[in-house]
Amino acid sequence: MITKISLSTGARWGEAEGLTVQRVRNNQVSFTYTKSGKSRSVPITQELYDEIHEHAKLRNIRTSKTIFS
């Protein structure tokens, strides 16, 4: 899943690994802790959006916890 997010968004591994549910909304992923220090939002497909939220739901992840921890 981290690989898929990275390939779909251009995110570095650590950026994708640190995602929280609240940063994945409206078919966009928001990266706030980036290497450059600049925040950015990247559009994602509905399919990836659904996969991320399903993954979080199956792991019982709350909004402020990272999805992949």
Side-chain angles (χ1 to χ4, degrees):
M1 178 66 73
I2 296 171
T3 303
K4 192 171 192 173
I5 292 169
S6 293
L7 290 172
S8 296
T9 64
R12 292 176 178 86
W13 187 271
E15 294 170 344
E17 189 176 38
L19 277 181
T20 61
V21 175
Q22 66 191 88
R23 288 196 230 146
V24 182
R25 340 187 259 195
N26 302 324
N27 290 358
Q28 287 195 333
V29 176
S30 296
F31 297 103
T32 53
Y33 301 106
T34 63
K35 183 177 177 181
S36 68
K38 297 179 182 178
S39 298
R40 70 180 186 285
S41 293
V42 181
I44 57 173
T45 64
Q46 183 66 47
E47 179 183 331
L48 182 56
Y49 175 87
D50 293 341
E51 278 186 65
I52 293 169
H53 279 276
E54 184 62 27
H55 178 82
K57 183 179 174 183
L58 290 173
R59 297 195 62 216
N60 198 27
I61 303 295
R62 306 227 189 275
T63 57
S64 61
K65 286 182 66 179
T66 60
I67 297 170
F68 303 106
S69 63

